[in-house]
Amino acid sequence: MKANGILWSLCADKECLESLTNVYEAFTLLEEIIERLPAPRLSKKEEPLIDNVANRDEIKAVLSSQGISDENLVSYAISRQLHGLYPDQPWTGSSCPICGQKPTLILAREKPELTYVSRETKARCICGHEKDIEPYTCPSCGRQGRGNFEVYVAPGSPVRVYVCKNCGHRFAEIQDTGLGEKELQALHGAIRLLLREVELSSHETG
């Protein structure tokens, strides 16, 4: 399923679809702008890396010239750059070593083996940085087990939203459908809006 089909599947009304589509398009445009930004320079390589960018003001000025001044978007843009520069930065805890946030998207992938198909899951932060994670594990507090989560599902959608009963962290899971990096980032941005503001039309628990 393509990204626009996934957005359709998440919404029960036109207003919801319009909101998610606007966010998706904004993230798509931002990805193009990020490619033209000055490269971030680190004053020190301490985590999270976003806190140690020596030329943040320079990058911020370029973003401002493109009409982007919100500090959260500035941090997002720089984090995306850092992820590209340090794709193998190891995780030492539950917070992302690049941007300092908690993962809000789980990508489930099928891996064909000799006689069966195994399932691989990765936790993805909004900056794009990923780490391996066991199924039904909260990427924030680490609590495991399907019974630890409330699971919300929109009918016909490949997206499931999980709410951890232990810490309250909300995140989504989606099957890896072969989306490109930019398309996946824009979809993640739209799903983050869903996690904050949109109530799914039906749910199942445990």
Side-chain angles (χ1 to χ4, degrees):
M1 184 180 289
K2 294 296 184 180
N4 58 348
I6 294 173
L7 295 180
W8 270 101
S9 75
L10 290 171
C11 291
D13 56 58
K14 183 178 179 181
E15 183 178 353
C16 165
L17 180 60
E18 183 176 343
S19 295
L20 294 189
T21 300
N22 287 341
V23 172
Y24 180 88
E25 292 176 350
F27 270 82
T28 300
L29 176 61
L30 187 53
E31 284 291 302
E32 297 176 1
I33 293 173
I34 289 170
E35 293 179 347
R36 303 191 296 269
L37 294 176
R41 299 190 305 272
L42 295 179
S43 57
K44 52 187 176 181
K45 200 175 178 182
E46 293 183 1
E47 298 179 6
L49 301 186
I50 185 66
D51 290 344
N52 301 297
V53 175
N55 61 329
R56 182 185 177 95
D57 288 344
E58 176 191 7
I59 299 171
K60 183 177 178 179
V62 176
L63 286 168
S64 181
S65 71
Q66 299 291 318
I68 300 169
S69 57
D70 181 87
E71 285 295 334
N72 289 328
L73 291 179
V74 171
S75 293
Y76 169 79
I78 297 175
S79 295
R80 286 291 288 154
Q81 291 180 288
L82 290 170
H83 168 63
L85 292 171
Y86 303 97
D88 299 321
Q89 185 73 14
W91 292 69
T92 56
S94 60
S95 296
C96 176
I98 300 292
C99 67
Q101 298 188 48
K102 300 293 180 71
T104 47
L105 186 65
I106 303 295
L107 291 178
R109 302 180 173 108
E110 291 187 347
K111 294 179 60 178
E113 305 290 348
L114 287 177
T115 58
Y116 63 97
V117 175
S118 63
R119 190 169 186 264
E120 175 187 75
T121 49
K122 289 186 176 290
R124 183 180 178 96
C125 198
I126 189 59
C127 69
H129 210 51
E130 297 180 358
K131 68 173 180 177
D132 294 329
I133 193 170
E134 291 295 319
Y136 300 113
T137 300
C138 177
S140 179
C141 69
R143 186 68 65 88
Q144 292 182 310
R146 182 180 175 86
N148 184 60
F149 301 100
E150 293 180 359
V151 186
Y152 296 82
V153 187
S157 175
V159 180
R160 290 172 177 251
V161 171
Y162 293 80
V163 180
C164 178
K165 295 178 182 178
N166 182 56
C167 70
H169 185 60
R170 295 170 62 88
F171 59 97
E173 179 184 276
I174 186 171
Q175 293 291 324
D176 184 359
T177 55
L179 297 176
E181 177 69 13
K182 292 180 181 179
E183 199 173 12
L184 181 57
Q185 275 302 119
L187 180 61
H188 192 173
I191 288 175
R192 290 255 296 199
L193 174 64
L194 180 80
L195 293 176
R196 292 196 304 268
E197 299 179 6
V198 179
E199 190 74 22
L200 292 177
S201 58
S202 68
H203 71 276
E204 63 181 30
T205 60

